[in-house]
Amino acid sequence: MRSPLVKADDHSISNTQSVTDLEIPTPITPGSISASGSARPHPTSLSLPYIDVKIDFEQMIYWAAMRPSQQPMITMELLRDMMCVQESVRAIVEEGNREQREHLEYFVAASQTPGVYNFGGNLAYFADCIRRRDYKGLQEYAYACIDVVYGNAMAFHTPLITIALVQGDALGGGFECALSFDVLIAEKSAKMGLPEVLFNLFPGMGAYSLLSRKIGTAAAEKLIMSGNVYSAEELHRLGVVDVLAEDGQGENAVRDYIARNRRKHNAHSAIYRSKRRINPLKYEELRDIVDIWLDAAMKLGEQDLRKMTRLVAAQDRRLDRQEETVRRVTSG
């Protein structure tokens, strides 16, 4: 399966096994019905169930925030919405260039779940697939993940500068998603890490590729193999986090970053494009690593799967405590 945004040598590849085969829900919005009667939503008016989209053409920023969730993990439904967003961005840029209007310069990916960016892969689904020996089901999920990560890492094949705004915990695949953007801005209280090694697996949806390009192979390996969760400040010192923001000031930090660098957007965009040329991330690299991850996942034993399940339970308890704290604060 390959995403419609996946390219080789800057030429689109047509592939019948694309992410569209997963029945991505095409959102229907007011004014989206064409003369023929078919639904054709305009890319500037997406209405998605799992991602809140706001487009500020005055500031030339496309904001995409994962909606609040009691289970803020990467599900197939969220991946489908992410692909809708990527296709929307690309369509707006292409139309803007063609019509000389409605330009975009920046893309920001955030989360609306208090204290959480994203907990990463759907571990309960992983464990179920492994127990049932459902290799194909796990493969479909994993390939959809790297389709999204690759699109992010290529800035959707547009001149946009992409930014991840992390205002809470980003773990596993959630951290990999944040790493796939050009700039990572994080609030000081945010925590990020790759806990997969704790249940005898490794992060297979881009972590090694993205981290090694950012901080070097040795540092990337050390971070991955530790299984530790790091503070945003620690990751800022390591060079993983690009901009450190005060708690509650993440969005302002994004706006400040853009304001400071707007006049240099052309240069910065060219630099990021050059970086992708000098040290290119190939889709085939992500696919090969995912295949290694799939083989490793299918070798996990029951003890490993129980550890995976306990991690899910710990995340659920953390969210319950956080919701209770929010209720007390708002009611008081």
Side-chain angles (χ1 to χ4, degrees):
M1 178 178 62
R2 188 181 285 225
S3 134
L5 294 181
V6 173
K7 296 186 177 185
D9 300 325
D10 285 333
H11 296 288
S12 296
I13 293 175
S14 175
N15 191 313
T16 55
Q17 287 292 100
S18 74
V19 76
T20 53
D21 294 336
L22 298 177
E23 299 180 358
I24 295 174
T26 303
I28 300 176
T29 54
S32 65
I33 305 301
S34 68
S36 63
S38 60
R40 292 186 179 179
H42 193 276
T44 62
S45 55
L46 284 187
S47 178
L48 299 170
Y50 299 97
I51 298 179
D52 182 31
V53 171
K54 294 178 182 176
I55 306 174
D56 183 348
F57 282 115
E58 183 178 346
Q59 295 298 316
M60 293 181 279
I61 307 171
Y62 190 117
W63 297 85
M66 292 172 277
R67 295 185 186 277
S69 173
Q70 291 184 329
Q71 293 183 314
M73 66 184 69
I74 297 175
T75 62
M76 193 64 86
E77 291 79 13
L78 179 61
L79 290 167
R80 290 166 181 159
D81 275 13
M82 287 177 171
M83 284 308 284
C84 284
V85 167
Q86 291 191 3
E87 291 164 4
S88 162
V89 173
R90 187 169 172 80
I92 292 169
V93 171
E94 289 179 348
E95 183 176 324
N97 290 339
R98 185 171 58 249
E99 303 293 336
Q100 294 299 307
R101 62 184 177 84
E102 292 189 336
H103 287 290
L104 293 173
E105 291 186 347
Y106 292 92
F107 174 90
V108 182
S111 170
Q112 295 175 346
T113 301
V116 180
Y117 182 77
N118 192 279
F119 280 154
N122 188 342
L123 299 184
Y125 178 71
F126 292 177
D128 182 59
C129 284
I130 293 165
R131 287 190 173 105
R132 292 187 292 104
R133 316 309 299 165
D134 183 6
Y135 184 93
K136 185 176 180 180
L138 198 57
Q139 181 188 61
E140 181 181 63
Y141 175 94
Y143 282 6
C145 287
I146 62 165
D147 284 350
V148 169
V149 164
Y150 183 75
N152 292 345
M154 295 298 106
F156 326 126
H157 296 282
T158 71
L160 268 64
I161 291 173
T162 62
I163 300 171
L165 171 57
V166 178
Q167 297 170 289
D169 294 356
L171 304 176
F175 189 21
E176 288 174 303
C177 183
L179 289 168
S180 66
F181 297 103
D182 294 324
V183 180
L184 201 167
I185 296 176
E187 294 186 358
K188 287 183 176 179
S189 63
K191 291 181 173 56
M192 288 161 268
L194 301 162
E196 287 84 349
V197 71
L198 301 179
F199 46 81
N200 203 20
L201 200 54
F202 77 101
M205 284 71 162
Y208 209 142
S209 299
L210 297 164
L211 279 170
S212 64
R213 283 166 170 79
K214 191 158 191 175
I215 60 174
T217 302
E221 264 187 30
K222 184 177 179 180
L223 194 155
I224 291 168
M225 294 181 74
S226 74
N228 291 338
V229 174
Y230 296 85
S231 70
E233 292 182 278
E234 290 174 307
L235 292 174
H236 185 247
R237 288 194 293 270
L238 285 172
V240 176
V241 170
D242 300 293
V243 178
L244 198 60
E246 296 295 330
D247 291 344
Q249 296 300 310
E251 189 172 322
N252 289 335
V254 169
R255 295 186 186 279
D256 289 345
Y257 176 87
I258 291 173
R260 286 197 312 272
N261 294 289
R262 187 175 295 285
R263 291 186 179 181
K264 295 177 282 188
H265 176 271
N266 183 60
H268 284 184
S269 176
I271 288 169
Y272 287 124
R273 288 172 60 198
S274 298
K275 180 181 73 173
R276 287 189 276 270
R277 177 63 185 88
I278 291 167
N279 198 357
L281 176 62
K282 299 291 187 182
Y283 182 82
E284 289 72 21
E285 175 183 327
L286 294 174
R287 174 71 75 93
D288 289 346
I289 292 172
V290 156
D291 287 343
I292 294 170
W293 179 88
L294 286 164
D295 289 342
M298 297 306 290
K299 292 176 183 175
L300 293 182
E302 187 57 37
Q303 185 176 359
D304 301 319
L305 297 179
R306 285 199 294 269
K307 289 179 182 177
M308 191 183 292
T309 303
R310 285 200 292 271
L311 180 57
V312 174
Q315 291 173 349
D316 288 342
R317 288 194 298 272
R318 182 194 180 287
L319 283 172
D320 289 342
R321 289 195 301 270
Q322 189 160 302
E323 285 181 8
E324 179 59 32
T325 300
V326 170
R327 280 195 295 269
R328 285 201 305 269
V329 171
T330 54
S331 63

